[in-house]
Amino acid sequence: MGDWLVNEGPKWLILVLWFGINIGLFVGYFLFYHQGTQFYYLRLLLGHGLAWARAPAACLNFNCMLILLPVCRNLISYLRGSCGCCRRSIRRQLDKNITFHRAVAYMICVHTAIHFGAHCYNLELLVAAQTDPYNLPFFFYGNGTDGLISKLTSLQDGVNSTYINPIRMPNSDAIIEGLKTIAGVTGVVITLALIVMVSSSTEVIRRSYFEVFWYTHHLFIVFFIGLVLHGIGGIVRGQTNLDVHNPEECFRRYLEWSPDDATCKIPQFQGGGAQTWKWVLAPMILYVAERCIRFYRSQQKVVITKVVKHPSKVLELQMKKRGFQMQAGQYIFIHCPSISRLEWHPFTLTSAPQEDHFSVHIRIVGDWTGALSKACGAEEPEFQDAWKMPQIAVDGPFGTASEDIFRYQVGVLVGAGIGVTPFASVLKYIWYQYCNPDITLKLKKVYFYWICPDTLSFEWFADLLQSLENQMLERGMGDFLNYNIYLTRGWDANQAKNIILHEEENSDVITGLQQKTHYGRPHWDQIFSNIAQSHTGVSVGVFFCGPKGLSSTLHHMCNQHSSSDPRGVHFHYNKENF
Amino acid sequence: MGQIEWAMWANEQAIISAWVMLTGGIIGLTGFNRWEIAAYSVAAGIFIILLEYPRGKRKKGHSIERRYQQYLTRVIHACGTITSNYYIRFVLHLLLCVPAGFQLPTIMGALGLFIASIIYFVAAFHGEKWQPVGIDTKGAPISSNQTVITQPPSQPPPRAPAHVRPKRPAQPSEGDPTIL
């Protein structure tokens, strides 16, 4: 239970807080417009529609303020780096930024629907009040009489007089009257922009036709401009002279309103004016700064120092950039203008922070990666000159780092499928730390479990393990790292024959490593109990990267094999979101 | 713009706009003027959702189907050119959106559908067509330059002389003994 709170708690806390603020704003503004005396006459005209339109408007202000923030990834990265005091589990929430962006976007859609729906009724009522006050639509709920409605609507801007009904001319068409107002035009434009942005952001479109998504999503510029201008007409008009005209008493005597009357002077009205800019100005500035930073970073020179072609269509790029600093397990975005001016693709860093370059291993699967491979000359048989390398820009690094492993005496790393990639960086990092004579590590033993259907596309990782193994043997530290590879796809007849023939040999026939490759899935129960027996009385950190199902299995194992005796072995589960 | 298939986006836009139009129509039926337009919007919205629900087959890559779309795929496929030609869809959506523009609650759906019709025009202009997912459309007869195999061969293929034949490890084999 404690682990759940640490791992999942912050996420739910943020969601509950955000949802709670939405509800609070909705209810608060609803009551303000539903009960406020200054809106008494407006409520006469509009009924419930006023509160139902203004409440989501407040929530829209709040959510439109929030929506720009999760996509400022450089700002987020800076926050994560500088908040060293906060718990990692809290900082890790910053990695879920796009998920939050989408949640806020859905909320904006919901509130837009309520806001627009309510204003449909409001507009019809205002137009009907101006055109035919004795024949109002049946959903008219305001409790004024026809005569009062007519009186209110006839109030004009002039000496001692201001109007309340923003519809100034009789017209049977609500649409035309609506489009005569700034709010109407901007409302239609930004709602249409929202619809188009939503339709081009569905998963199918995002994954298959990224440029459509990216270009159309820039309609947010139209959206924000329209949003800021939406309220400047001030058409929601509250009463300003409540001290000399109390609507709750004076509404009955509407025929007697006059500037000379003792208690019921003519009511004066004024619009609230634009409020949205106060909410969205700061995020807009932050976002502009974010784009400037991205542009500046894209101009900084990145040099490709080495291109290595690995089996199964994997390309390794080693690069250098001035001032680049990374931590193990992070990722970067790579941009290649000669291939596509728009696309930035994320790749996990596979080099260790101590190395003099940074590297990524790229699987050639699609258009962009194929073009990158060609541009780097990976298809050519001979060596390429350095000046032929394409221009590259790098943004990042982003993501949580995994330094927590050094808090434990024993570490268990589990990488499943493609989740093994960040462990290349992590393992190298651990190795460099271990070999550093200036540092005494608390970490004494690392168990690494790699689970994959087959080693196809990860031969480079097997090579990395082999080179680490050789280095350890050279230094006589064969015991530090313990590898286990599990090939879950099993073997075919030919492989089986081969394995039987080489059963007696020291190194594994598939990977060449000293430890043997296993077939099938690991028996976690056995593994955990073996580790528990070999390391009594220590705390063991378990780190996992891969699919969810295995994550819960490992979590369960950690809980099961942790001894209840405080002096016994304790397994601490850390779910990494690389 | 890479390998973009505009019809995929037009499809999403049309479905979303149809939902907006449908919801707007329901609101419009609750006492607004011109309730006939609201009723029309509800009907048109439902029609468009059914028409657009089955995603077409992508030219390149894996086509992701919507849940249970296979039943509608058959219906749409059976309508032939009317549903597979995107010029027709462009005109259809253009015409369908016009009446909805005359009532306030349905106007957003109308505008969204208008945009969808434009994107369908672009798709048609690029030669895209709606192909059903999961139904084999290549029932066409074999072209003339393809050989048609009617019976398995009755004679073994002729072999090269022994001294140029590639060496094989000794294996028991049925049929003629190999003279190496």
Side-chain angles (χ1 to χ4, degrees), chain A residues 121 124 138-139 199 208 212 215, chain B residues 4 9 13 30-32 58:
Chain A
Y121 290 102
E124 285 279 336
F138 94 90
F139 50 72
S199 81
S208 322
V212 170
Y215 269 134
Chain B
I4 181 167
W9 181 27
Q13 176 72 18
T30 60
F32 283 76
R58 284 170 56 172

Side-chain angles (χ1 to χ4, degrees), chain B residues 92-106:
Chain B
L92 177 73
H93 289 316
L94 198 58
L95 293 175
L96 283 176
C97 78
V98 170
F102 286 96
Q103 202 197 37
L104 185 56
T106 52

Side-chain angles (χ1 to χ4, degrees), chain A residues 113 116-124 137-139 172-175 179 187-192 195-202 204-205 208-209 211-212 215-216 367, chain B residues 1-6 8-10 12-13 16-17 20 26-34 55 58 60 64 100-109 111-112 115 119:
Chain A
F116 176 62
H119 272 323
C120 283
Y121 290 102
N122 292 340
L123 197 54
E124 285 279 336
F138 94 90
F139 50 72
S172 59
D173 201 323
I175 297 180
L179 289 176
V188 166
V189 166
I190 66 181
T191 310
L192 191 59
I195 293 178
V196 175
M197 275 201 279
V198 168
S199 81
S200 59
S201 314
T202 56
V204 173
I205 304 288
S208 322
Y209 315 111
E211 288 112 335
V212 170
Y215 269 134
T216 29
D367 291 336
Chain B
M1 271 245 183
Q3 303 300 311
I4 181 167
E5 285 176 58
W6 295 96
M8 292 285 127
W9 181 27
E12 302 283 335
Q13 176 72 18
I16 291 181
S17 308
V20 175
I26 293 175
I27 293 182
L29 284 171
T30 60
F32 283 76
N33 285 342
R34 304 186 202 139
R55 279 206 187 101
R58 284 170 56 172
K60 219 176 96 165
I64 302 170
F102 286 96
Q103 202 197 37
L104 185 56
T106 52
I107 195 172
M108 291 316 308
L111 288 170
I115 303 253
I119 309 175

Side-chain angles (χ1 to χ4, degrees), chain A residues 333-402:
Chain A
F333 280 82
I334 295 186
H335 172 64
C336 188
S338 55
I339 301 174
S340 166
R341 294 246 297 269
L342 298 173
E343 296 177 45
W344 289 77
H345 291 263
F347 295 99
T348 312
L349 288 163
T350 47
S351 57
Q354 297 95 333
E355 291 174 323
D356 61 350
H357 62 272
F358 61 96
S359 71
V360 293
H361 283 70
I362 300 173
R363 281 179 60 193
I364 317 286
V365 280
D367 291 336
W368 190 87
T369 42
L372 183 68
S373 159
K374 213 180 273 190
C376 293
E379 325 251 308
E380 313 289 319
E382 53 299 307
F383 284 123
Q384 300 295 304
D385 290 314
W387 51 266
K388 277 194 197 160
M389 290 294 112
Q391 205 182 0
I392 295 264
V394 158
D395 197 10
F398 304 108
T400 37
S402 42

Side-chain angles (χ1 to χ4, degrees), chain A residues 249-464:
Chain A
E249 290 158 12
C250 296
F251 78 93
R252 283 177 256 274
R253 301 169 48 217
Y254 64 90
L255 293 167
E256 297 155 26
W257 294 345
S258 91
D260 311 312
D261 193 288
T263 47
C264 290
K265 303 215 181 340
I266 299 180
Q268 304 296 323
F269 300 95
Q270 202 183 4
Q275 301 290 314
T276 307
W277 67 270
K278 296 177 192 167
W279 293 81
V280 300
L281 184 64
M284 280 165 80
I285 292 176
L286 281 172
Y287 187 73
V288 169
E290 159 78 21
R291 292 299 286 258
C292 292
I293 292 176
R294 282 193 212 173
F295 179 71
Y296 169 70
R297 276 191 167 187
S298 70
Q299 299 299 306
Q300 288 191 306
K301 211 159 141 121
V302 172
V303 173
I304 298 179
T305 54
K306 200 166 175 185
V307 175
V308 182
K309 210 169 143 188
H310 288 282
S312 304
K313 295 166 63 143
V314 172
L315 189 71
E316 178 186 348
L317 287 182
Q318 294 184 4
M319 295 168 275
K320 281 196 191 184
K321 180 177 166 188
R322 190 190 300 196
F324 185 83
Q325 280 182 338
M326 63 166 279
Q327 287 165 321
Q330 293 192 305
Y331 61 94
I332 53 172
F333 280 82
I334 295 186
H335 172 64
C336 188
S338 55
I339 301 174
S340 166
R341 294 246 297 269
L342 298 173
E343 296 177 45
W344 289 77
H345 291 263
F347 295 99
T348 312
L349 288 163
T350 47
S351 57
Q354 297 95 333
E355 291 174 323
D356 61 350
H357 62 272
F358 61 96
S359 71
V360 293
H361 283 70
I362 300 173
R363 281 179 60 193
I364 317 286
V365 280
D367 291 336
W368 190 87
T369 42
L372 183 68
S373 159
K374 213 180 273 190
C376 293
E379 325 251 308
E380 313 289 319
E382 53 299 307
F383 284 123
Q384 300 295 304
D385 290 314
W387 51 266
K388 277 194 197 160
M389 290 294 112
Q391 205 182 0
I392 295 264
V394 158
D395 197 10
F398 304 108
T400 37
S402 42
E403 306 135 341
D404 278 0
I405 188 159
F406 293 108
R407 284 170 40 199
Y408 304 95
Q409 272 183 276
V410 176
V412 176
L413 306 176
V414 182
I418 198 162
V420 81
T421 318
F423 286 115
S425 170
V426 172
L427 282 172
K428 280 198 249 186
Y429 178 55
I430 295 174
W431 177 242
Y432 279 118
Q433 292 290 87
Y434 194 72
C435 295
N436 189 337
D438 302 331
I439 302 175
T440 346
L441 285 182
K442 189 175 170 191
L443 185 65
K444 298 286 176 241
K445 178 94 183 177
V446 173
Y447 293 91
F448 178 62
Y449 294 92
W450 179 16
I451 302 141
C452 49
D454 47 45
T455 50
L456 213 59
S457 349
F458 287 101
E459 290 87 347
W460 62 270
F461 195 83
D463 285 344
L464 165 69

Side-chain angles (χ1 to χ4, degrees), chain A residues 3 412 527-529 531-532 538-542 557-559 561-563 569-573:
Chain A
D3 274 347
V412 176
I527 290 171
F528 272 79
S529 45
I531 296 178
V538 302
S539 53
V540 180
V542 178
M557 287 292 140
C558 286
N559 293 338
H561 291 269
S562 289
S563 123
V569 68
H570 288 278
F571 289 92
H572 295 267
Y573 184 65

